[in-house]
Amino acid sequence: MPYIGRQLTQGNFIKLDDLQSQFNGTKTTFNLTTGGKSFKPGTANALLVSLGGVIQEAGSAFTVTNNQITFSNPPTADANIFI
């Protein structure tokens, strides 16, 4: 039976390195890396960012410039992150 509707998409998904060790409650800008190497996403919308278990909205909760992510509010030292 053929697939009805929009075709499924496939692509490469990369989990970025953990930033939590850099969180101190005041710092807002962090370098994005994967496997220790610099990572530059095409846009902030290309990232799925979970901070403290809450999905963050690109453009309002965080922005991306080259290989750096900047949060609107500084993450607390105990906040878990997944990008």
Side-chain angles (χ1 to χ4, degrees):
M1 180 174 184
Y3 185 80
I4 298 174
R6 213 164 121 190
Q7 294 295 317
L8 299 174
T9 58
Q10 297 179 357
N12 294 328
F13 296 95
I14 301 167
K15 182 178 182 213
L16 299 186
D17 295 339
D18 192 359
L19 303 174
Q20 185 177 4
S21 64
Q22 300 175 47
F23 294 168
N24 63 10
T26 58
K27 186 176 176 181
T28 58
T29 301
F30 305 90
N31 291 328
L32 296 173
T33 58
T34 180
K37 296 181 181 179
S38 178
F39 179 79
K40 295 180 185 177
T43 68
N45 291 325
L47 298 178
L48 175 64
V49 179
S50 171
L51 184 61
V54 178
I55 301 297
Q56 303 297 299
E57 183 177 358
S60 61
F62 70 93
T63 58
V64 173
T65 305
N66 294 318
N67 68 329
Q68 293 186 320
I69 186 169
T70 302
F71 293 98
S72 300
N73 297 307
T76 59
D78 62 344
N80 294 321
I81 188 161
F82 175 88
I83 305 175

